[in-house]
Amino acid sequence: MKSILVTGGAGFVGSHTCKALAAAGYCPVTFDNLSQGHESAVQWGPLEIGDILDHDRLGDVFAAHDPEAVIHFAGSAYVGESVIDPGKYYRNNVTGSLTLIETMLKAGVNRLVFSSSCATYGIPDTLPILETCEQKPINPYGYSKLVVERIMRDFGRSHSLQSIALRYFNAAGSDPDGDIGEDHDPETHLIPLTLDAASGGTPLTIFGDDYDTPDGTCIRDYIHVTDLAEAHVRALNAIDDHDGFEVFNLGTSLGHSILEVIDMVNTVTGLKVCYETGARRPGDPASLVADPSKAQNQLQWRPRLSGLEDIIRTAWSWRQSVQDTES
Ligand code: UFG
């Protein structure tokens, strides 16, 4: 069985991708420092505990497993924190990715799929966003992802690195079989916080209702994590179809406002989300919606579970199962 090294494989998108890799006949080897990820999410292959900044440890893991490619998720991913502590983001995301790329090339591995972000676009001039739109990130997190894309492109020219960057829009939902789910600490994402507010937890604060959108709240393109996972397998299988660096948006082309998310949570749970309206969150674009046609055409990728109802239904099932286990 072919091994694939999955950095950050114990995290949210990483663990769902390990499940998809195993279903496609690969052996996912998770490399994770468990600072954010969960050992319990590593269910489809071995776990190697280590940090991408540690090239000796990485080198040992390449030697032990002889992977044929790397899917790279490990990194820091809180936009707000990146503004307060940019050094952490440039170190973990940029230096960490550079260390990984140099180590993999030294080990003779030259295929890489990278978890990038729509945060590299900043505030877009036009919607939906195409891969060719200008990238002008507005926070260190987005810059760190953009720099890694640039490193990948440059190493494609200098060292024959074959790489694909996948620019996710808003990853959400949970494994429909209930094996794994979203479990961030701290949790900052809209859908888990809205589910929490529906079940009697902290009321949701809507960050601004005076945006230039139909109902005044921000619009995002929510994409189910299982659909994201499948796109990684497709990207891996297509990695030799081009020379050097390629990039794909992963979204649905449909945006939903925060009030639409709240309405759907009310419908799916049968409960009532308690919310209030607060100030805008700095750095939030009004609307982010993908044009995913390149991934559809070149990877034959189609989101299957990314209707808002499916996203919220699977996230809600996961949340209830975790609560049942805890109680
Ligand atoms: N929101 C609230 N209240 C909350 C949390 C979020 O109103 O308590 C709003 C946000 O302001 C935003 C929307 O809900 O308008 C979605 O927010 P999330 O935090 O769930 O997601 P983001 O759109 O901020 O972040 C996502 C990814 C990031 C990526 C970013 C790019 O999670 O990794 O998109 O903008 F960088």
Side-chain angles (χ1 to χ4, degrees):
M1 198 184 276
K2 295 171 181 169
S3 289
I4 306 296
L5 190 76
V6 183
T7 74
F12 177 42
V13 188
S15 58
H16 286 78
T17 300
C18 287
K19 181 172 183 177
L21 284 167
Y26 292 104
C27 173
V29 177
T30 290
F31 185 85
D32 201 301
N33 66 8
L34 299 182
S35 65
Q36 297 288 319
H38 306 279
E39 193 165 353
S40 59
V42 183
Q43 300 177 21
W44 293 277
L47 168 64
E48 294 282 4
I49 297 174
D51 196 296
I52 51 170
L53 287 161
D54 182 348
H55 58 81
D56 290 345
R57 175 79 184 114
L58 266 175
D60 289 346
V61 170
F62 275 104
H65 294 279
D66 192 22
E68 70 162 35
V70 176
I71 304 186
H72 176 34
F73 297 97
S76 299
Y78 290 109
V79 172
E81 184 188 53
S82 79
V83 177
I84 297 161
D85 188 2
K88 176 174 175 181
Y89 281 72
Y90 289 113
R91 186 164 48 255
N92 288 347
N93 296 358
V94 178
T95 311
S97 299
L98 179 59
T99 306
L100 171 69
I101 289 170
E102 290 186 326
T103 309
M104 62 185 273
L105 289 170
K106 204 168 152 197
V109 180
N110 78 331
R111 297 187 183 91
L112 174 68
V113 177
F114 172 59
S115 141
S116 188
S117 170
C118 64
T120 60
Y121 293 114
I123 298 174
D125 295 329
T126 51
L127 291 173
I129 304 172
L130 275 164
E131 288 84 353
T132 47
C133 282
E134 193 183 349
Q135 290 174 285
K136 356 170 229 192
I138 53 172
N139 51 59
Y141 168 72
Y143 264 109
S144 70
K145 292 284 180 183
L146 179 56
V147 173
V148 178
E149 288 192 6
R150 187 56 189 253
I151 292 171
M152 290 161 65
R153 187 187 297 271
D154 290 344
F155 273 74
R157 295 190 181 120
S158 65
H159 288 75
S160 304
L161 180 70
Q162 288 287 113
S163 68
I164 291 180
L166 299 175
R167 293 182 190 148
Y168 316 156
F169 282 65
N170 283 58
S174 284
D175 174 41
D177 303 326
D179 292 335
I180 40 179
E182 186 164 12
D183 190 1
H184 296 114
D185 184 18
E187 187 54 78
T188 61
H189 294 102
L190 178 68
I191 290 176
L193 291 177
T194 307
L195 292 172
D196 192 44
S199 39
T202 312
L204 179 75
T205 301
I206 296 179
F207 296 143
D209 65 354
D210 57 351
Y211 284 94
D212 185 16
T213 59
D215 66 23
T217 65
C218 285
I219 291 177
R220 293 290 180 272
D221 185 343
Y222 296 93
I223 177 85
H224 196 285
V225 63
T226 297
D227 288 330
L228 283 182
E230 192 204 317
H232 288 76
V233 178
R234 287 180 179 270
L236 179 68
N237 291 337
I239 204 157
D240 290 327
D241 294 352
H242 65 273
D243 269 340
F245 176 74
E246 256 302 352
V247 58
F248 295 98
N249 282 340
L250 297 180
T252 66
S253 80
L254 288 175
H256 297 286
S257 73
I258 296 172
L259 290 176
E260 286 172 335
V261 169
I262 291 173
D263 279 349
M264 187 59 82
V265 168
N266 288 339
T267 303
V268 167
T269 63
L271 301 168
K272 192 111 187 84
V273 176
C274 185
Y275 69 88
E276 58 198 18
T277 303
R280 289 185 179 196
R281 187 171 67 176
D284 264 343
S287 297
L288 288 173
V289 177
D291 183 329
S293 41
K294 186 175 171 189
Q296 291 177 354
N297 295 335
Q298 295 188 27
L299 301 178
Q300 285 73 51
W301 172 74
R302 299 275 181 288
R304 292 176 296 117
L305 276 167
S306 292
L308 192 57
E309 185 172 350
D310 280 336
I311 287 177
I312 290 173
R313 190 179 41 75
T314 55
W316 178 235
S317 301
W318 167 253
R319 189 191 152 79
Q320 286 178 302
S321 72
V322 172
Q323 280 174 333
D324 287 350
T325 318
E326 284 170 356
S327 61

